[in-house]
Amino acid sequence: MSVEIEPISRRIRWFGLRPSAWLRLPVLAIAALVLVTGTGSGQPTVTKGDWSMWQFDPTGSRYNPNEIALTPDTVGKLQLKWAFAFPNAIAASSQPAVVDGTVYVGGRNGTFYALDADTGATRWTFEAQTPLGGNVPTFGLRDGPAVADGVVYFGDNSANMFALDAATGKQRWVRKLDEHPMAIITSSPLVFEGRVYVGVSSQELGAGTNDRYPCCTFRGSMVALDAMTGDVLWKHYTIPQPEPTGGSPAFAPSGAPIWSSPTIHSATRTLYYTSGNPYTGYPEGAEAIGAVDIDTGTSRWVRRMTPGDPPWNGRCAIPIPGGNCPDPGHDFDFGSQANIFEVDGRLVVGAGQKSGVYHLLDATTGEIVWQRRLSTPAPILPFPGSESLQGIQWGASYDGRHLYVSTYQAQPGTLYALNPATGEIVWSTPNPSSGCLINVPPVPMEPLCQLAMPNAVSSTPGLVYEGSLDGKMRAFSAETGAIVWEYETAHPFATVNGVPGFGGGINGHGAVIANGMLFTNSGYGRQITTGMPGNVLLAFGLP
């Protein structure tokens, strides 16, 4: 681990004010701001303008109501402030947390970084590749960190959960949350009342491609840990324990991983999660929205949103059924978090699914309130299961007025504003058809460019933000859906850390808007989703 000392002047931030603006503030106002932004202990403190965890808030709104610098009138002036490159990576998907002037973010190279929000300069790094003293690397950090009470929390691709001192990067604890050899963490943690809540997923569905593999034995779970010690307080499994079948596949039920991030309604002390597809069997807890008691982990209700759909694993992508997939289903899992809000005094919870449907349920009972189909996925022959790439991927945003939901490879991907009471479409903006054309005259970009919007949606007052696999980061009017700012990220960058950097498709996270700045990763090279590779974190601000 290496540590760099930050200048004290950079620790004082207030809604994105430039240093020169401090000279015009009254002395008492400056004193008040120092009290808000600092603890005197050197520990980072979450302030109103910060974005401290993937969901933004416990209810999963992904809406920063405290952003006052970026408005519909000023957003068009956004310009690149700095670019940071992750070494030895062709994808960047750890959504950063921004707290007290520091950007916390993980890299696919297995290194975790704390960067200066204004300049991108490295404050400290932490190597998470061999956290337990073993010889097996983590193969990267994919989830977004959460920062609370001076501690930063994140998971890795070996199902380890870390807690680091946010000021120094010193490890406080690490816990392995699942002993299955293919367990991973892509769920971004939620910190609430001294506990860390996070889901556990798996890559076992890929192993099922080989009929000689005894498919499958993993089952997804939601875990609650003590934030100070890392002790596991409870673990809620999404489905029953897999049992031998005596045939092929060898075990059932299995799967129902939790790829997404949890959300919490504090008054009812309920945690909501969404689960992935079954690898084998027909468990009710797969492809579902579920509710559990945050104190005990006991189930309150669970509703499968694709009842009766056969299981899906890697073998199902091979056109002739058999072996580990005798009856191919659809890969209609959830990657989106649950949004919690009220409609006419009724508490509701909703999430978008890879089936292309956004579901809204009664948060107390799980009863369906409404469902809105935003795309109709169809398989891209000859690859069964590819239809899941045309649905809703990583998450929606709710600003108290509209739900903002985007579709992936939906020919083209489209950003929607929905009426939260009825699900009716207020406006829709498709990915511009020119997105994969560059230069003049227009020249098609490489074949990996796609008019698709898989990213989690983010919003601030009057604005909605969404990235695309065409490499563009865009801001939209929350009122009309009109594109009011656009930046092409799919090109080389000079980087603040001197590592060769290049942008590509935007996928696997969402934009973070904090204190007058916008942060986004760029680059997502994967065989399955065939996105443009890249390795940069980009920071934008006003002149």
Side-chain angles (χ1 to χ4, degrees):
M1 182 182 71
S2 63
V3 179
E4 296 187 12
I5 304 299
E6 60 173 301
I8 189 74
S9 61
R10 291 178 185 160
R11 295 187 55 81
I12 304 176
R13 298 173 58 83
W14 181 54
F15 299 126
L17 283 181
R18 298 171 61 86
S20 59
W22 283 82
L23 300 177
R24 298 191 297 269
L25 290 175
V27 173
L28 290 178
I30 295 176
L33 293 175
V34 172
L35 289 174
V36 170
T37 59
T39 63
S41 64
Q43 289 290 359
T45 303
V46 179
T47 59
K48 284 185 176 182
D50 291 340
W51 191 301
S52 63
M53 59 184 174
W54 191 93
Q55 307 88 329
F56 181 78
D57 52 27
T59 60
S61 73
R62 295 191 56 83
Y63 168 65
N64 187 347
N66 305 301
E67 178 54 56
I68 60 172
L70 292 183
T71 68
D73 293 330
T74 65
V75 70
K77 300 177 183 178
L78 274 176
Q79 57 188 8
L80 183 68
K81 293 295 186 180
W82 52 262
F84 178 92
F86 301 100
N88 305 314
I90 60 170
S93 58
S94 172
Q95 178 184 293
V98 182
V99 173
D100 197 19
T102 300
V103 178
Y104 300 92
V105 65
R108 290 290 185 113
N109 59 331
T111 302
F112 192 85
Y113 301 87
L115 310 174
D116 183 284
D118 286 328
T119 67
T122 300
R123 291 180 171 171
W124 54 256
T125 63
F126 176 85
E127 301 299 330
Q129 293 169 324
T130 53
L132 300 180
N135 296 317
V136 180
T138 63
F139 302 110
L141 306 176
R142 297 169 59 182
D143 70 339
V147 182
D149 300 320
V151 182
V152 56
Y153 304 90
F154 61 93
D156 72 7
N157 259 26
S158 293
N160 298 300
M161 194 70 196
F162 293 86
L164 308 181
D165 184 284
T168 66
K170 181 179 180 180
Q171 180 178 296
R172 293 199 174 185
W173 54 256
V174 59
R175 292 290 181 274
K176 193 169 184 66
L177 302 189
D178 199 295
E179 294 301 325
H180 195 284
M182 297 183 190
I184 62 176
I185 295 176
T186 59
S187 170
S188 298
L190 188 157
V191 184
F192 180 76
E193 294 184 349
R195 291 185 176 187
V196 181
Y197 299 90
V198 66
V200 182
S201 185
S202 161
Q203 300 192 45
E204 191 183 27
L205 81 169
T209 304
N210 184 349
D211 283 335
R212 290 177 293 179
Y213 178 79
C215 183
C216 284
T217 55
F218 175 82
R219 55 177 175 157
S221 63
M222 179 60 62
V223 183
L225 304 97
D226 184 288
M228 290 189 64
T229 66
D231 293 338
V232 175
L233 303 176
W234 55 254
K235 186 172 188 176
H236 171 82
Y237 287 99
T238 55
I239 58 175
Q241 175 71 42
E243 300 289 345
T245 65
S248 185
F251 297 90
S254 64
I258 297 180
W259 296 93
S260 58
S261 302
T263 53
I264 284 176
H265 186 252
S266 59
T268 60
R269 305 199 66 75
T270 305
L271 178 146
Y272 298 91
Y273 67 87
T274 60
S275 64
N277 53 282
Y279 303 162
T280 59
Y282 293 79
E284 287 301 308
E287 297 176 342
I289 300 175
V292 299
D293 184 296
I294 65 171
D295 296 307
T296 64
T298 55
S299 178
R300 291 188 167 167
W301 56 260
V302 61
R303 176 178 284 275
R304 184 169 186 187
M305 305 315 301
T306 51
D309 189 31
W312 197 93
N313 59 61
R315 176 63 175 83
C316 302
I318 300 175
I320 301 176
N324 286 329
C325 187
D327 183 20
H330 300 93
D331 187 17
F332 284 160
D333 60 320
F334 281 91
S336 301
Q337 91 284 10
N339 305 108
I340 309 167
F341 53 94
E342 289 189 3
V343 172
D344 297 328
R346 183 185 192 182
L347 186 65
V348 293
V349 59
Q353 190 177 4
K354 289 185 181 178
S355 62
V357 176
Y358 189 96
H359 311 271
L360 193 75
L361 312 180
D362 184 287
T364 304
T365 65
E367 173 189 357
I368 294 174
V369 178
W370 55 255
Q371 296 172 298
R372 174 62 58 186
R373 177 166 293 284
L374 299 178
S375 65
T376 304
I380 303 172
L381 298 177
F383 303 108
S386 57
E387 63 269 19
S388 69
L389 300 180
Q390 300 161 52
I392 301 165
Q393 188 77 5
W394 290 122
S397 181
Y398 175 70
D399 66 356
R401 184 181 181 192
H402 296 142
L403 273 167
Y404 304 101
V405 190
S406 64
T407 55
Y408 197 177
Q409 301 174 18
Q411 302 176 349
T414 300
L415 178 65
Y416 294 88
L418 304 181
N419 182 326
T422 64
E424 293 177 316
I425 297 173
V426 178
W427 54 254
S428 62
T429 304
N431 200 124
S433 59
S434 60
C436 287
L437 300 175
I438 57 173
N439 300 326
V440 179
V443 176
M445 296 174 70
E446 60 178 291
L448 296 179
C449 181
Q450 300 174 39
L451 304 180
M453 297 186 185
N455 249 31
V457 187
S458 307
S459 61
T460 60
L463 295 167
V464 186
Y465 308 82
E466 176 67 354
S468 167
L469 278 188
D470 66 10
K472 310 296 193 301
M473 185 67 229
R474 299 181 175 98
F476 303 76
S477 165
E479 186 69 27
T480 66
I483 297 173
V484 293
W485 175 80
E486 178 180 280
Y487 186 90
E488 170 64 79
T489 73
H491 60 79
F493 289 90
T495 65
V496 293
N497 58 331
V499 174
F502 56 96
I506 302 178
N507 190 356
H509 65 288
V512 166
I513 307 92
N515 302 306
M517 296 188 72
L518 184 154
F519 303 87
T520 182
N521 292 307
S522 179
Y524 201 78
R526 291 194 66 198
Q527 288 182 332
I528 298 175
T529 53
T530 62
M532 293 186 291
N535 69 332
V536 293
L537 171 66
L538 306 175
F540 300 88
L542 298 174

